Amino acid sequence: MSLTTPMSIRTLQRKLYCKAKAEPAYRFYLLYDKIHRHDILAHAWALARANAGAPGVDGMTFAGVEAIGLEEWLAAIRRDLVAKIYRPAPVRRVMIPKPGGGERPLGIPTIRDRVVQTAAKLVLEPIFEAELDPAAHGYRPGRSGADAIKAVHVLLCRGYTDVVDADLSKYFDTIPHQDLMRSVARRIVDRHVLRLIKLWLKAPVEERDEDGTRRMTGGKNSKQGTPQGGVISPLLANLYMNRFLKHWRSTGRGEAYRAQIVSYADDFVILSRGHAAEALAWTGRVMTKLGLALNEMKTATRDARRERFDFLGYSFGPHHYRKDGHWYLGASPSKKSVLRLKAKVSDILVPGNLGAWPEVRDRLNRLLRGWSTYFGHGTRLPAYRAVDNHVYDRVRHFLVRRHKVPSHGTRRFPREAVFGVLGVLHLRRVHLGPPPWVMR
């Protein structure tokens, strides 16, 4: 099934967006029938299938759905929605490691609920997209983390070097339901759509202890939080964060503090010319009114001319140009980002990986290519060199063990061979381009 949005859905989305953009006070009251349209449910399935992911509490997999018959399965969902008897299943919660240490909860809805949430997102996103602040870059069509990174770098180079490096404490888990629903109801008055969103917000959460004991939390009595992992959650999180961004703009904070915000979901920085402390104090007060809280341990002001700060995997601030010794305001992959990539490389090249070398190499190259695509801005050659050195060492050790070479393998597997005939992606060449003899 194609992932290209069908023309019928694109036409609907364009109409909704244009209406919302042209009339900021307009409230939409006939949307529920769009969510259970056959073409929208079918495309929602295709998007959910492409995103893959683990099964929810019912254990149903995508392959399982296809085995019992996709058309009938979608038809059953549509019947439940039309009859207004659809109810979401509990959300399966798992804990996943955080890059900086510790764990964060991830909610996994059932595939059935993911499809319905995706259908709702297809209809609602154009409406909310029309009013999201331009400073917001996360989880939006046509925008990306790369745009946010470039925006931060440009502002630094323009003199916005007094920075609020902000971190919200458990943002997704603390969004107040009542205030969030008010934000939704500003544009949506279709009571059946509002009911759907409330059902997802109030869905119970199932957790399993180490011994397999089932424990249920949340449910009808929960008053805050939207599970990370739910398809609709990023859209709702953006909508609530937009309250802060709109308040910043409507109260003229940008002019008062000579500052601008760059936001990616719950990650944001405020870049100012000399007023970072005032901007931070104001932000703390507003977040409290919104029922949110800044993480005091991770939120700080920085002078980007003298110290670095990390944002979306990049390190911003003073960089040293090795050739002539001068300093400049730069952006480069952060040390943590490089270390995380090295760890993933090592995970692929473990001794227990018995896959054929072409399969191992292709998996490694996909990882490296994806990383270099994201980290393709600013000063990246030092990070690329560090990754290349690690990749070469791990590949050489991997092949030495596999072929039982009685040495360190530097002669049998030199760098030229690893990044040449063995086909491993050489990041330094991604940065500098192919050598002259390849271009002839």
Side-chain angles (χ1 to χ4, degrees):
M1 190 177 292
S2 174
L3 291 182
T4 303
T5 306
M7 183 58 68
S8 59
I9 300 177
R10 289 168 56 192
T11 300
L12 170 66
Q13 290 176 325
R14 187 65 186 168
K15 288 180 179 178
L16 292 172
Y17 175 84
C18 291
K19 183 71 173 178
K21 196 71 173 176
E23 301 182 38
Y26 185 81
R27 302 173 78 192
F28 293 80
Y29 54 91
L30 285 176
L31 295 173
Y32 187 75
D33 61 322
K34 280 69 170 181
I35 292 174
H36 59 63
R37 265 176 32 179
H38 179 270
D39 59 336
I40 288 179
L41 285 174
H43 188 55
W45 159 265
L47 293 173
R49 183 73 171 88
N51 287 331
V57 295
D58 60 357
M60 178 62 75
T61 64
F62 290 100
V65 171
E66 291 165 343
I68 63 176
L70 174 58
E71 288 302 320
E72 177 54 35
W73 186 81
L74 287 174
I77 292 178
R78 188 171 187 275
R79 287 194 296 270
D80 286 352
L81 288 170
V82 171
K84 301 180 181 62
I85 59 174
Y86 163 82
R87 296 290 186 280
V91 175
R92 183 165 74 92
R93 173 173 287 175
V94 297
M95 305 302 292
I96 61 174
K98 294 174 67 175
E103 295 180 319
R104 69 177 177 89
L106 179 69
I108 305 177
T110 62
I111 292 174
R112 174 175 175 266
D113 292 333
R114 273 178 259 177
V115 168
V116 180
Q117 287 188 27
T118 303
K121 181 173 178 284
L122 287 169
V123 175
L124 299 179
E125 186 173 60
I127 297 170
F128 294 131
E129 177 63 25
E131 65 177 50
L132 291 183
D133 193 276
H137 293 83
Y139 309 118
R140 296 180 64 182
R143 292 170 178 256
S144 67
D147 298 320
I149 290 156
K150 292 173 183 176
V152 170
H153 195 188
V154 167
L155 288 170
L156 288 175
C157 293
R158 290 178 179 173
Y160 293 84
T161 53
D162 297 288
V163 179
V164 177
D165 181 8
D167 184 271
L168 286 173
S169 181
K170 298 181 179 179
Y171 174 64
F172 280 80
D173 295 333
T174 57
I175 298 175
H177 288 173
Q178 188 173 14
D179 291 338
L180 173 60
M181 290 306 301
R182 286 197 189 102
S183 295
V184 174
R186 280 193 65 253
R187 302 309 301 265
I188 310 295
V189 292
D190 187 324
R191 61 190 180 91
H192 301 301
V193 174
L194 295 176
R195 173 180 163 275
L196 267 185
I197 295 174
K198 286 179 183 177
L199 286 173
W200 290 324
L201 291 175
K202 303 290 186 181
V205 176
E206 179 190 285
E207 298 179 82
R208 297 271 180 175
D209 297 333
E210 292 183 0
D211 60 358
T213 303
R214 184 171 179 256
R215 186 160 52 92
M216 303 293 287
T217 57
K220 293 182 179 180
N221 295 326
S222 63
K223 299 183 184 306
Q224 61 184 22
T226 176
Q228 293 190 63
V231 178
I232 203 71
S233 293
L235 179 61
L236 297 176
N238 271 350
L239 184 61
Y240 197 67
M241 186 67 178
N242 200 51
R243 295 180 66 163
F244 168 73
L245 297 174
K246 287 179 69 174
H247 190 53
W248 167 277
R249 200 169 295 278
S250 65
T251 56
R253 293 304 95 189
E255 293 76 16
Y257 301 140
R258 301 177 68 198
Q260 297 194 43
I261 293 180
V262 179
S263 167
Y264 189 93
D266 58 327
D267 291 329
F268 68 97
V269 289
I270 303 174
L271 301 105
S272 76
R273 289 174 169 168
H275 298 277
E278 297 99 308
L280 175 56
W282 182 88
T283 298
R285 292 193 297 270
V286 173
M287 289 301 178
T288 300
K289 291 180 181 178
L290 291 173
L292 306 172
L294 291 171
N295 186 330
E296 295 184 3
M297 298 294 293
K298 295 182 178 180
T299 299
T301 58
R302 312 279 186 193
D303 181 353
R305 294 165 297 184
R306 295 179 173 84
E307 59 182 326
R308 293 191 185 189
F309 65 95
D310 289 354
F311 180 61
L312 299 182
Y314 273 76
S315 183
F316 297 90
H319 284 63
H320 182 246
Y321 189 59
R322 295 194 307 169
K323 288 187 176 180
D324 62 12
H326 80 268
W327 292 85
Y328 63 97
L329 283 172
S332 60
S334 70
K335 291 181 179 179
K336 288 182 180 179
S337 298
V338 173
L339 288 174
R340 285 197 291 268
L341 177 63
K342 287 182 178 180
K344 291 178 180 178
V345 169
S346 298
D347 288 343
I348 292 175
L349 298 171
V350 292
N353 188 341
L354 302 179
W357 170 247
E359 296 173 0
V360 175
R361 177 202 59 213
D362 291 348
R363 184 181 168 197
L364 176 62
N365 283 349
R366 282 194 297 272
L367 172 66
L368 295 173
R369 190 170 289 109
W371 190 86
S372 65
T373 298
Y374 181 77
F375 290 101
H377 178 76
T379 304
R380 53 203 186 274
L381 187 55
Y384 281 17
R385 281 175 173 155
V387 172
D388 282 340
N389 290 338
H390 180 76
V391 168
Y392 171 63
D393 286 342
R394 299 317 303 162
V395 168
R396 179 167 50 82
H397 282 98
F398 178 81
L399 294 174
V400 162
R401 287 191 300 267
R402 172 165 288 194
H403 296 284
K404 297 181 173 57
V405 177
S407 68
H408 293 296
T410 52
R411 288 193 175 184
R412 181 167 177 181
F413 304 111
R415 293 178 70 92
E416 295 78 9
V418 168
F419 295 116
V421 294
L422 291 175
V424 175
L425 184 67
H426 195 188
L427 292 189
R428 188 169 184 272
R429 286 300 169 199
V430 171
H431 175 69
L432 297 177
W437 59 85
V438 175
M439 298 174 66
R440 290 174 186 168

